[in-house]
Amino acid sequence: MDTSQQPPAGPRGIDSGTTWGAAPYPVLVADPFGDVVEVNEAAATLFPTAVPGAWLRRVVPEWIADAHARTGSPAAKTGDAAGSSASSSACPAHGPVGDRTFEARPTRTDDGDVMWWLVDDTDRRLAEDALASERTRTAFLADASSALLSSLDVERCMEVTARLAAEHLADAAVVVAPPRGGKVPLTHCGPDGDVVHRQVRADLEQLPGLTDALRGFPPVPSRWIDPAAVPGWAVPDRFTDPVGSAVVTPLPGHGVPAGALVLLRSGRRPAFTASEETFARLFASRAGAAMSAARMYAEQAAITTALMRELLPPRLHGVHGVEFAGKYLPSGQTDRVGGDFYDVHPGTDEGQESLVVLGDVCGKGLDAAVLTGKVRNTVQALVPLAGDHQRLLGLLNGALMNSHHTRFVTLALASVVRSGATVRLRVTSAGHPAPLIVRADGRVETVETRGTLVGAFWDIGSTTAQVELAPGETCLFFTDGITEGRGGPSGDELFGVRRLESALARCAGLPAEAVVEHIQMLAAQWVGRGAHDDMATVAVTAPHHAHLSAVNGRSRGRYTA
């Protein structure tokens, strides 16, 4: 191919006005010793002092001169493979020129010089930096959300919020919770990463935008906040530098704000940019949601605890010379209350009967517990009528039939009174398993009482049995969760009435507390980890030792168990 009409590959002796000299990209040529050979018009505009003969290192940024030293030096040229001088352009260089960034691509000429082509890649690099920044911020927000939601404790959420904000967004951060009782709860985190909780009496108006942020209003721009006006109570103790800039942003919650976040930077760092303020609001929205969820959980937990306290069966003790003991095991490992319940309503004095109530609401879990509470409250209101079991059960049945509940309940009632050394009981069953009596010699008897369950039919009936307990004898009331518990060696065998009677026979002469503990332990061991219904037991025991003493002319029973 005839190449006589083509221009030479190098700049020397070439018509620069028709080739690279007219290129829109800056191009400069330097020899292996670092002297400028030639520049085109675009390069002359970019580097005004870069004229032929000038030393390259004095007229261009250092990163270009260093790249030329690596690429165009005689040593580099000597190391080139024969016939591949143009291949020395393999490694472009990058760097700033003023407020722009360029990529410099080297090409070796036939004369051994290096032609540097500079491409403005400012926009591309800005886009790449912005993309990398967004990826970093997205990853941070994801990690922050996980950290914030890992705990439903309000104080812990405030600690995590302050620590993350101080570490990634500012030099120091302060989480301001809504004021309570005239005091403002604060959570500080300084440059050292230590978190401190404080409660201060402070004028929130001292910090511009704080009162609005606590009301959930949009934040004021950081440039409107005078750093010198930031009050001392809003600055962590170990933040010793003067405040250079501040951001105040709300912590949005569920319906109401969860508080406000204050970010502080020292005067040695650049002020917050609009982009950083926007990102701070994104972080604050996640932190506020987590804090609000934790606060709602704490409130609900407090309400639940108060309700559970009323729904849980009470701890029983001796009343008027009679031993009472009860024990309850809910069906689920996570449930605290269920459908089984018991109560003892003491008589006004020793001559008055105490009312024992043991019940089992159909179903289990929270729904059953709600009806349990209703039944217990209704029975308590009907205690003045406890002398007539039939009437009490009839009124309770009417109350349940007229309610929106579709569940029923079985009940065992016992009116108990001490008479000398014996204890007398009037026992009525309403659809409930009949109680068992263990005599002093170990014999076990079934109380002959039966009746209709409550809350299922308008007409109900029941029979009442009269029982006497000698010293050391016990009457045991239980729910069907005891006898119908499945387990044992096969895993599907009922505990059953016979096994219960055998266990009760071994409890002859034991105190009431020991009886219920023994029965519940055996039943729990029988079912093991398998599913089971609620289990409840109540023991009424006549004490072994008792004597009478006169008090104000009346006999008063005293006993020691």
Side-chain angles (χ1 to χ4, degrees):
M1 181 175 61
D2 182 11
T3 60
S4 61
Q5 301 300 318
Q6 296 182 2
R12 297 176 182 174
I14 111 174
D15 184 0
S16 63
T18 60
T19 55
W20 63 274
Y25 298 104
V27 182
L28 58 84
V29 181
D31 63 20
F33 301 99
D35 293 329
V36 176
V37 175
E38 196 167 352
V39 296
N40 70 352
E41 183 178 350
T45 303
L46 187 63
F47 307 116
T49 59
V51 297
W55 188 27
L56 184 67
R57 187 169 292 277
R58 291 185 176 180
V59 297
V60 298
E62 185 177 0
W63 63 272
I64 298 179
D66 290 341
H68 182 77
R70 292 191 301 270
T71 305
S73 66
K77 180 178 179 180
T78 302
D80 287 342
S84 59
S85 61
S87 66
S88 61
S89 59
C91 298
H94 304 271
V97 179
D99 59 353
R100 311 291 290 176
T101 61
F102 286 82
E103 181 182 67
R105 294 181 174 273
T107 302
R108 192 180 296 278
T109 70
D110 292 341
D111 295 329
D113 299 333
V114 178
M115 180 182 296
W116 290 96
W117 296 76
L118 278 75
V119 180
D120 188 339
D121 64 352
T122 304
D123 294 337
R124 178 177 66 83
R125 288 193 171 275
L126 288 176
E128 290 176 349
D129 292 344
L131 179 59
S133 177
E134 287 304 315
R135 286 176 176 171
T136 301
R137 289 180 173 184
T138 300
F140 165 70
L141 290 177
D143 293 341
S145 296
S146 299
L148 288 165
L149 295 174
S150 63
S151 172
L152 286 175
D153 180 78
V154 178
E155 189 171 282
R156 171 64 178 164
C157 282
M158 294 175 68
E159 289 180 3
V160 173
T161 299
R163 183 177 291 111
L164 289 175
E167 181 179 353
H168 297 279
L169 305 179
D171 295 326
V174 182
V175 177
V176 184
R180 294 196 304 263
K183 291 187 176 181
V184 183
L186 303 176
T187 302
H188 289 217
C189 184
D192 55 3
D194 290 338
V195 178
V196 178
H197 296 279
R198 298 172 54 193
Q199 287 198 356
V200 300
R201 294 187 180 276
D203 181 8
L204 301 181
E205 296 287 349
Q206 292 178 330
L207 184 55
L210 181 56
T211 55
D212 290 339
L214 289 172
R215 296 189 185 102
F217 295 145
V220 300
S222 174
R223 63 182 181 275
W224 292 6
I225 301 176
D226 180 8
V230 177
W233 54 263
V235 180
D237 293 336
R238 298 187 182 182
F239 187 80
T240 56
D241 294 335
V243 177
S245 59
V247 168
V248 179
T249 186
L251 293 167
H254 300 291
V256 295
L261 176 64
V262 180
L263 303 177
L264 305 175
R265 275 187 181 170
S266 71
R268 296 182 297 176
R269 293 186 57 189
F272 291 99
T273 65
S275 175
E276 289 172 329
E277 291 185 51
T278 301
F279 182 65
R281 290 196 291 271
L282 291 175
F283 170 76
S285 65
R286 285 161 173 77
M291 290 172 56
S292 182
R295 190 166 285 121
M296 290 177 62
Y297 174 81
E299 293 173 355
Q300 293 173 358
I303 294 172
T304 301
T305 300
L307 293 176
M308 291 296 185
R309 191 181 300 117
E310 295 300 318
L311 293 175
L312 284 172
R315 180 175 179 82
L316 304 183
H317 51 81
V319 176
H320 300 324
V322 181
E323 291 183 15
F324 295 95
K327 194 169 182 63
Y328 169 71
L329 179 66
S331 59
Q333 295 181 353
T334 59
D335 296 333
R336 295 180 59 193
V337 296
D340 288 7
F341 64 94
Y342 55 78
D343 283 298
V344 173
H345 303 280
T348 55
D349 55 45
E350 291 185 356
Q352 296 293 321
E353 294 176 324
S354 297
L355 179 65
V356 178
V357 183
L358 178 70
D360 184 359
V361 171
C362 172
K364 62 182 72 174
L366 185 59
D367 290 340
V370 172
L371 184 56
T372 294
K374 179 175 182 179
V375 172
R376 291 178 66 189
N377 289 335
T378 304
V379 170
Q380 185 172 17
L382 296 175
V383 166
L385 305 177
D388 187 344
H389 289 184
Q390 311 302 324
R391 186 180 179 191
L392 186 153
L393 290 173
L395 292 173
L396 176 61
N397 184 68
L400 295 182
M401 293 294 292
N402 288 317
S403 71
H404 67 279
H405 293 285
T406 58
R407 300 174 182 269
F408 58 85
V409 60
T410 65
L411 284 176
L413 303 178
S415 294
V416 183
V417 66
R418 176 75 176 268
S419 177
T422 63
V423 174
R424 294 177 178 175
L425 296 85
R426 291 187 300 110
V427 182
T428 303
S429 172
H432 200 82
L436 300 175
I437 296 175
V438 56
R439 298 300 182 181
D441 57 4
R443 288 180 297 112
V444 176
E445 303 173 359
T446 301
V447 179
E448 296 298 330
T449 176
R450 62 183 58 85
T452 310
L453 50 83
V454 182
F457 310 102
W458 282 106
D459 296 326
I460 63 172
S462 59
T463 60
T464 300
Q466 304 282 343
V467 176
E468 283 194 2
L469 301 177
E473 297 180 341
T474 296
C475 181
L476 179 70
F477 298 82
F478 57 93
T479 59
D480 58 10
I482 298 289
T483 55
E484 296 180 3
R486 292 185 178 273
S490 66
D492 195 41
E493 184 180 356
L494 292 175
F495 187 74
V497 175
R498 289 189 178 181
R499 192 169 279 104
L500 175 61
E501 291 176 346
S502 176
L504 186 59
R506 296 192 293 270
C507 296
L510 294 180
E513 189 72 29
V515 173
V516 296
E517 286 287 349
H518 183 70
I519 299 299
Q520 287 277 25
M521 179 191 67
L522 293 179
Q525 289 177 345
W526 183 260
V527 299
R529 296 184 178 181
H532 62 85
D533 199 359
D534 299 330
M535 298 179 179
T537 52
V538 171
V540 180
T541 302
H544 277 286
H545 307 290
H547 64 271
L548 301 179
S549 60
V551 179
N552 295 329
R554 299 176 58 190
S555 63
R556 182 184 183 95
R558 296 191 303 172
Y559 72 97
T560 58

